[in-house]
Amino acid sequence: MADRIVSGMRPTGKLHFGHYLGVIQNWVELQYKYESFFFAADWHALTTKYDKTETLKNDVRDVIIDWLACGIDPKVSTIYVQSLVPEIAELNIYLGMITPQNWVERDPCLKDMAKILRTKEGAGSQINYGLMGYPVLMSADIMMFNSTYIPVGIDQVAHIEITRDIARRFNNIYKTDFFNEPKPLLNNCSLICGLDGNKMGKSFQNDIKISDTDEVTAKKVMTAITDRSRMRKDDPGHPDECEVAFKYWQIFAAQDEVQTVRCECEKGLRGCADCKRMLGKVINEKFAPIREKRKYYEEHPQEVDKIIKEGSEKAREEAQKVIKEVRNIIKMY
């Protein structure tokens, strides 16, 4: 069997530049190197949005449209929706039976998700049963396709340790070597801060979405934090102290253009407002093909639904092979 990767996203709405640079751009490259499974994690979304499901279907479609627009190819990768592969839930039950409680409680993934819930409901809120089981369900997602590698950023490596531990424990208990202990596949993607200099996020209202229009993008870029010490446009600037705008230049522009920006800024030949107007144009030019492709899929929702249906059916076929072997190993009736 070829080396496999599995990765997913919680469908919480249209994706932003942070998702593109930190995750999707990497997936696009990896899909041609590994047998790839990418899923919209709608069950995971319920752990914190169980009472806000009216937009869930549209959110799933929006996430997948963003993937397609950015270059995830359904002819190369398997694109599916988590809840359309019920075998994941069955595997989750079996893995839950062998996972010690303290493994779950100390898992950094659970702690991160608990923070999201408490931000939403208040510091004194209780963790629901589904959220408590999040690390095991995450492990079931990965082990369902016996993944070889998991693409992650350096800050997420600890999140997959519990999956490796559970896979090892399963193999030890049932005297088998069936499950791989998936290894992290580190990406070298650029990280991008939000317009205010903090982590980019929809809830912080500091993001630029992949789906934003040129006008909206240009307007948002004009709010980006620059060099706070610069008082007038002809004052010498300090690009390395420019908190957001120059960082965006370094991510989205060619190296020679970045050097021009640096030189003109340091000599006071380019004011911050003019700099951000030019930056908005550079960003819009870079994302023009992606946004054009996205518009096509928005106008052809039946094609997106077909991709989801066929991908989920393909994923389920693979999952059925794995769950059949798991049932045999455990000696289920």
Side-chain angles (χ1 to χ4, degrees):
M1 184 176 71
D3 286 344
R4 284 180 172 176
I5 61 171
V6 176
S7 197
M9 285 186 185
R10 284 162 35 100
T12 57
K14 295 176 180 177
L15 303 180
H16 55 63
F17 284 5
H19 296 117
Y20 173 75
L21 292 165
V23 180
I24 307 173
Q25 191 172 241
N26 191 42
W27 286 1
V28 172
E29 294 180 9
L30 292 176
Q31 69 181 335
Y32 299 107
K33 300 177 183 178
Y34 302 95
E35 186 178 4
S36 301
F37 292 77
F38 301 124
F39 66 98
D42 53 346
W43 279 334
H44 287 303
L46 292 179
T47 58
T48 56
K49 295 184 69 176
Y50 50 82
D51 57 341
K52 297 276 191 300
T53 59
E54 59 275 1
T55 65
L56 186 56
K57 285 184 179 179
N58 284 335
D59 288 345
V60 167
R61 187 182 284 111
D62 272 331
V63 165
I64 291 176
I65 286 175
D66 278 328
W67 294 352
L68 296 169
C70 291
I72 300 299
D73 188 344
K75 295 179 181 178
V76 175
S77 301
T78 301
I79 299 171
Y80 62 102
V81 176
Q82 185 186 35
S83 66
L84 295 181
V85 185
E87 288 75 14
I88 296 171
E90 183 176 353
L91 181 59
N92 178 55
I93 291 173
Y94 300 144
L95 299 183
M97 300 301 175
I98 66 168
T99 303
Q101 179 180 335
N102 66 329
W103 285 16
V104 173
E105 290 175 341
R106 71 179 183 228
D107 183 67
C109 186
L110 174 62
K111 293 177 182 178
D112 289 348
M113 295 304 299
K115 286 180 184 177
I116 294 174
L117 181 65
R118 285 171 177 150
T119 297
K120 170 178 173 273
E121 297 190 353
S125 61
Q126 294 291 314
I127 294 175
N128 58 53
Y129 178 78
L131 182 55
M132 179 61 76
Y134 188 101
V136 179
L137 180 56
M138 178 188 69
S139 297
D141 290 321
I142 295 168
M143 293 168 63
M144 188 76 265
F145 301 98
N146 221 347
S147 178
T148 320
Y149 299 104
I150 308 300
V152 291
I154 188 67
D155 59 330
Q156 298 172 310
V157 172
H159 289 183
I160 66 170
E161 281 306 310
I162 191 170
T163 303
R164 291 171 54 80
D165 290 341
I166 291 173
R168 189 181 307 118
R169 183 170 171 82
F170 182 96
N171 289 343
N172 287 339
I173 289 173
Y174 297 111
K175 307 296 187 293
T176 182
D177 60 358
F178 179 69
F179 278 120
N180 295 320
E181 293 179 27
K183 299 174 183 177
L185 190 63
L186 293 177
N187 66 45
N188 297 308
C189 297
S190 302
L191 297 178
I192 186 170
C193 59
L195 294 160
D196 57 1
N198 297 309
K199 181 179 179 181
M200 182 174 283
K202 176 183 175 183
S203 59
F204 304 138
Q205 297 183 330
N206 66 354
D207 63 328
I208 303 175
K209 292 183 174 58
I210 295 168
S211 57
D212 281 341
T213 64
D214 286 2
E215 293 75 18
V216 169
T217 299
K219 186 175 180 180
K220 286 183 176 181
V221 170
M222 292 303 294
T223 70
I225 302 297
T226 53
D227 178 0
R228 295 178 190 266
S229 67
R230 196 175 186 189
M231 304 304 293
R232 294 179 296 273
K233 69 177 183 179
D234 54 353
D235 284 345
H238 310 87
D240 294 326
E241 295 177 20
C242 181
E243 296 181 35
V244 177
F246 189 67
K247 292 177 182 177
Y248 284 14
W249 276 108
Q250 291 174 305
I251 291 171
F252 296 114
Q255 189 59 39
D256 58 342
E257 196 168 8
V258 173
Q259 285 304 113
T260 298
V261 173
R262 176 184 287 278
C263 182
E264 292 184 358
C265 177
E266 290 176 340
K267 293 180 179 179
L269 300 175
R270 180 185 298 217
C272 293
D274 287 340
C275 186
K276 288 191 283 189
R277 273 190 282 272
M278 295 177 194
L279 174 61
K281 291 178 181 178
V282 168
I283 292 174
N284 282 330
E285 286 173 5
K286 179 176 178 62
F287 280 88
I290 290 174
R291 287 168 170 169
E292 183 177 349
K293 195 172 180 182
R294 195 186 197 288
K295 184 179 179 183
Y296 169 82
Y297 283 114
E298 281 181 325
E299 294 173 350
H300 296 82
Q302 70 284 356
E303 191 168 331
V304 179
D305 288 340
K306 184 172 183 285
I307 289 169
I308 291 172
K309 181 176 182 292
E310 292 178 351
S312 298
E313 288 173 351
K314 181 180 176 183
R316 192 170 186 194
E317 286 177 10
E318 291 299 315
Q320 286 171 341
K321 296 174 187 175
V322 172
I323 207 68
K324 180 179 179 181
E325 186 63 26
V326 168
R327 290 178 66 90
N328 288 336
I329 291 169
I330 297 176
K331 297 180 173 57
M332 300 296 294
Y333 188 81

